[in-house]
Amino acid sequence: MSLFPADIISTAETIIHEFTTAGLMLSTAESCTGGLISGALTEISGSSAVVDRGFVTYTNTAKIELLGVQKETLLRFGAVSEETARQMVHGALFRSRAAIAVAVTGIAGPGGGSAEKPVGLVHLAAKSRTGALIDRKMLYGDIGRSEVRLATVRTALEMILSLR
């Protein structure tokens, strides 16, 4: 029995298989998911050949110290922003041996939302060493904390696959 739903496990298995075959490693930078992306990937046997490291940077200080997110970015745009997600993914990629990294920052709820940044808002970014960068702004809605976090894991895994 897995800790994660079958669809997440299936996608994680695909990533581990394809990245192992290609000799690629990946890293994660997670805020609102608190390590769930890395957790889903490491649920798969053989993941140690693929998952280099995961950064759980829940606080702004952690984002600055571990990933190199600029304090000015956090002050101007906030922790939950496209700009912060992009800086997080850059930090995760270049502070690891990964070929591809993914980063997520959002508001899982039930509190913490506002009119400008509602519960269920998540910014994701994925980047490869070849320079490819994709980002997504997801509005999952106020569907519950666990569901926002799992939806974010699904989106992040799909983004990883799209950059392989």
Side-chain angles (χ1 to χ4, degrees):
M1 181 173 156
S2 173
L3 297 170
F4 296 92
D7 66 310
I8 289 176
I9 292 300
S10 177
T11 306
E13 287 173 338
T14 299
I15 290 168
I16 298 303
H17 173 74
E18 291 187 10
F19 276 58
T20 299
T21 301
L24 299 174
M25 296 192 86
L26 62 89
S27 65
T28 64
E30 302 182 61
S31 187
C32 62
T33 50
L36 288 176
I37 300 164
S38 292
L41 291 164
T42 59
E43 186 80 0
I44 310 307
S45 178
S47 59
S48 62
V50 173
V51 180
D52 180 50
R53 64 195 74 187
F55 300 90
V56 176
T57 56
Y58 216 66
T59 66
N60 286 350
T61 301
K63 289 173 181 66
I64 292 166
E65 292 177 357
L66 296 176
L67 298 172
V69 173
Q70 297 297 305
K71 185 176 182 180
E72 296 76 28
T73 300
L74 294 165
L75 291 172
R76 183 170 177 199
F77 301 104
V80 179
S81 66
E82 175 185 332
E83 295 81 4
T84 296
R86 285 176 173 231
Q87 288 186 14
M88 288 173 66
V89 79
H90 182 82
L93 186 62
F94 292 103
R95 286 172 167 78
S96 71
R97 297 180 304 137
I100 293 174
V102 67
V104 301
T105 182
I107 303 166
S114 67
E116 299 80 28
K117 296 184 180 184
V119 170
L121 169 65
V122 180
H123 287 276
L124 303 94
K127 186 173 186 170
S128 75
R129 287 197 187 262
T130 64
L133 171 70
I134 54 174
D135 55 61
R136 291 193 185 153
K137 174 184 177 181
M138 303 301 293
L139 294 165
Y140 298 114
D142 192 357
I143 57 175
R145 183 175 184 82
S146 293
E147 291 308 313
V148 168
R149 295 172 81 209
L150 287 175
T152 302
V153 171
R154 287 181 179 98
T155 304
L157 295 178
E158 291 168 10
M159 290 172 71
I160 291 168
L161 278 175
S162 73
L163 284 181
R164 71 189 183 289

